Amino acid sequence: MIQGWLRSDGRKGIRNVVAVAYLVECAHHVARRIVDKADDPDVQLIGFPGCYPNAYAAKVMEAIATHPNVGGLVIVSLGCESFNREKLRAVVEASGRPAELLVIQEKGGTAATIAAGLEAVDRVRAQIASVERVPMGVEELVVATICGGSDGTSGITANPAVGRAFDRLVAEGAACIFEETGELVGCEKIMADRASTPELAAAIEACVQKAEAYYTVMGFGSFAPGNAEGGLTTQEEKSMGAYSKSGSSRIDGILKPGDIPPMGGLYLLDVVPDGEPRFGFPNISDNAEIVELIACGAHVTLFTTGRGSVVGSAISPVIKICANPETGRRLAADMDVNAGRILEGEATLDQVGQEIYDAILAVAAGERSLSEQLGHQEFILTYKAFDPIGPECLPMVARA
Amino acid sequence: MLEHDSRLILLHPDDNVLICVSAIEAGDILPVSGGTIPAREGIAIGHKIARVALAQGDKVIKYGAPIGSMTAPVVAGQWVHMHNMKSDYISSHTRTALEQGA
């Protein structure tokens, strides 16, 4: 049984985290010291390093700070950066959560702000200890998936096994999000055939075409050098393997970072910026995507890996599913689910899909995933630019 | 045609490549229709092996979908990778190419 923390917007969290957010790199050290000294797995560091304003970063930060897994926020500002700290505080307070704001230049510098920050964390922690816990069903979960450190085994074990788990979750009413249109170049027609409306199908194809154009300007696909050594040869081969994570359910909508799924179903997250490429690669590493999935409300992220990523995340637990049996043995203490057994004839895709489903429910009920136990709380947020999604992206909302 | 055994898996009936799930060494015996052949080269886990003879320009089919085209002919049982096939989308790149500044 999942006991969720009930938030004012009706969503429920599977964790009750105090987030400590730095709003510019100049405040990072002070915020990190506050988190380190608090020495509590549920006090976690998030932040944005840039001094210049960015609407995307503000939207994602607000979405994360009001994520159902977050109970309250401590903001650490240097003082002269352009991030709108008062708006962030107002958004969090309007959500019914406690928010404390510390400005280093006003507090008297590093040591004084760290001391004040620890007191702020204690106050927030005390306030959120009394948040009501209520039963939470599978249909209230938002589950995301991503792959990283892929090899030739990812697309034949872990990814299709996640697809099986997604099919079951979607059938039971959960919202499931898959991502990375840049990794889906080459299978856009097959994907468009699964869309709930013709307009959404066209939007899916347009998403992938945008990704292809963007990555071409960057000079690469999302195809990292390590992939070729694992047996994957082409972008489209990697894409079909990545695509198999989405399972076989109907695709109900397209989201952009910070958009919350309006109801259960299967959603594609479009992570590629709109307009001319301006800020470099769409996502500079896997955790940048995980942050975007969490900004869409993901309670849990399923991370499939062949070569062996060890990352977790702040705010929402990461469950690691290892595709490659050799990697699974070498990195056993990092891998929650060993899908490599499929290659050794010890398990079927359906059995591993069931294990993934069971692991999601256990982690949602409070069990710590291995990356949580190991203290992984990665977080990265950088510059991007997006246009809002159009009505064709969420047909069920347009119809309502 | 190369038959699949415990070292190889077929992801989709339309595929013209099989996936190696345990390492094959050069000289290892591979099953083909009506007999066996020795592997020409070592093939690592996750890599592709031609199920049938493929000509230059043939589409490589995996998951039942085209994942690129052959740039050189192969016979059944040969390794299929960067050296004899290419993307039909964005050109793939290798660590070597990156080091050479490509």
Side-chain angles (χ1 to χ4, degrees):
Chain A
M1 168 67 78
I2 310 170
Q3 288 287 319
W5 278 270
L6 181 62
R7 310 300 179 190
S8 66
D9 60 4
R11 289 190 291 166
K12 296 168 188 171
I14 63 166
R15 298 288 183 271
N16 197 28
V17 168
V18 179
V20 178
Y22 61 91
L23 302 188
V24 62
E25 182 61 22
C26 320
H28 188 162
H29 170 77
V30 168
R32 186 173 55 215
R33 275 296 164 90
I34 293 166
V35 170
D36 287 348
K37 284 173 180 274
D39 194 25
D40 176 342
D42 290 322
V43 176
Q44 301 183 355
L45 184 66
I46 64 174
F48 177 65
C51 189
Y52 299 94
N54 185 248
Y56 153 85
K59 178 179 178 179
V60 169
M61 188 70 90
E62 289 171 12
I64 298 268
T66 56
H67 186 283
N69 288 355
V70 172
L73 184 69
V74 174
I75 302 166
V76 184
S77 163
L78 176 64
C80 48
E81 75 275 12
S82 61
F83 202 108
N84 190 334
R85 57 182 176 264
E86 293 294 350
K87 176 159 186 277
L88 178 60
R89 174 161 72 173
V91 165
V92 172
E93 285 179 344
S95 78
R97 292 170 174 82
E100 300 244 4
L101 172 59
L102 304 163
V103 180
I104 296 170
Q105 289 166 350
E106 295 168 6
K107 280 283 169 202
T110 301
T113 311
I114 293 169
L118 282 164
E119 291 171 10
V121 165
D122 282 342
R123 283 192 296 274
V124 171
R125 208 162 26 187
Q127 287 181 65
I128 68 174
S130 58
V131 172
E132 185 186 1
R133 294 194 74 176
V134 293
M136 179 175 181
V138 171
E139 73 285 359
E140 296 177 282
L141 284 172
V142 181
V143 180
T145 188
I146 176 179
C147 45
S150 296
D151 69 12
T153 67
S154 302
I156 53 182
T157 61
N159 291 352
V162 165
R164 308 290 166 101
F166 259 33
D167 285 345
R168 177 156 176 201
L169 289 164
V170 168
E172 293 179 3
C176 290
I177 309 172
F178 69 108
E179 44 80 51
E180 250 291 1
T181 43
E183 293 174 354
L184 301 175
V185 170
C187 48
E188 57 266 41
K189 298 277 183 203
I190 301 167
M191 191 159 44
D193 285 344
R194 287 168 62 195
S196 58
T197 68
E199 294 76 19
L200 178 61
I204 288 171
E205 287 199 52
C207 267
V208 178
Q209 282 157 11
K210 177 180 73 168
E212 185 177 9
Y214 200 103
Y215 280 110
T216 301
V217 172
M218 294 292 115
F220 299 111
S222 68
F223 197 78
N227 295 138
E229 294 162 10
L232 295 179
T233 312
T234 65
Q235 177 71 53
E236 53 271 41
E237 178 180 18
K238 184 182 174 187
S239 294
M240 286 303 300
Y243 178 63
S244 64
K245 296 197 300 304
S246 68
S248 56
S249 307
R250 187 184 70 189
I251 299 174
D252 295 302
I254 297 173
L255 306 171
K256 289 182 181 178
D259 296 333
I260 310 298
M263 57 193 296
L266 180 65
Y267 297 85
L268 170 64
L269 175 61
D270 177 11
V271 301
V272 175
D274 294 308
E276 289 298 309
R278 273 191 280 173
F279 302 117
F281 288 97
N283 280 322
I284 61 175
S285 57
D286 295 325
N287 278 100
E289 281 167 38
I290 292 174
V291 164
E292 293 182 328
L293 291 162
I294 296 171
C296 294
H299 292 95
V300 174
T301 301
L302 307 175
F303 191 124
T304 65
T305 184
R307 299 181 64 80
S309 173
V310 300
V311 304
S313 180
I315 309 304
S316 291
V318 170
I319 294 173
K320 255 141 29 283
I321 298 136
C322 190
N324 185 319
E326 292 176 6
T327 306
R329 280 187 280 275
R330 205 161 51 242
L331 277 67
D334 286 278
M335 300 299 165
D336 297 277
V337 177
N338 176 7
R341 287 162 31 245
I342 294 165
L343 290 189
E344 299 183 322
E346 293 168 12
T348 65
L349 276 172
D350 284 335
Q351 286 167 341
V352 175
Q354 177 69 40
E355 282 177 36
I356 295 167
Y357 177 89
D358 292 342
I360 294 164
L361 264 55
V363 166
E367 191 175 295
R368 300 275 175 175
S369 71
L370 290 178
S371 54
E372 284 184 291
Q373 291 174 32
L374 290 163
H376 283 283
Q377 296 183 0
E378 288 87 347
F379 188 93
I380 182 164
L381 176 59
T382 58
Y383 285 89
K384 278 192 178 184
F386 281 101
D387 301 330
I389 56 170
E392 71 282 5
C393 292
L394 293 175
M396 75 292 274
V397 174
R399 273 197 302 270
Chain B
M1 181 186 285
L2 191 63
E3 304 292 340
H4 56 100
D5 69 2
S6 62
R7 294 165 293 176
L8 303 169
I9 58 173
L10 178 67
L11 287 169
H12 190 280
D14 296 343
D15 291 358
N16 55 20
V17 289
L18 297 166
I19 310 305
C20 180
V21 296
S22 68
I24 290 171
E25 306 290 338
D28 281 1
I29 301 304
L30 298 172
V32 293
S33 313
T36 60
I37 54 166
R40 289 197 183 191
E41 59 225 322
I43 301 174
I45 293 175
H47 283 250
K48 295 174 289 300
I49 184 166
R51 189 181 179 201
V52 295
L54 297 170
Q56 183 176 340
D58 280 359
K59 296 289 186 193
V60 179
I61 308 295
K62 179 181 172 186
Y63 299 103
I67 60 159
S69 301
M70 297 302 294
T71 56
V74 294
V75 299
Q78 270 191 280
W79 181 34
V80 174
H81 197 38
M82 319 288 281
H83 60 294
N84 55 20
M85 70 167 287
K86 66 172 180 61
S87 171
D88 294 328
Y89 289 84
I90 304 167
S91 293
S92 301
H93 63 285
T94 65
R95 187 162 286 161
T96 309
L98 284 175
E99 283 164 1
Q100 289 168 347

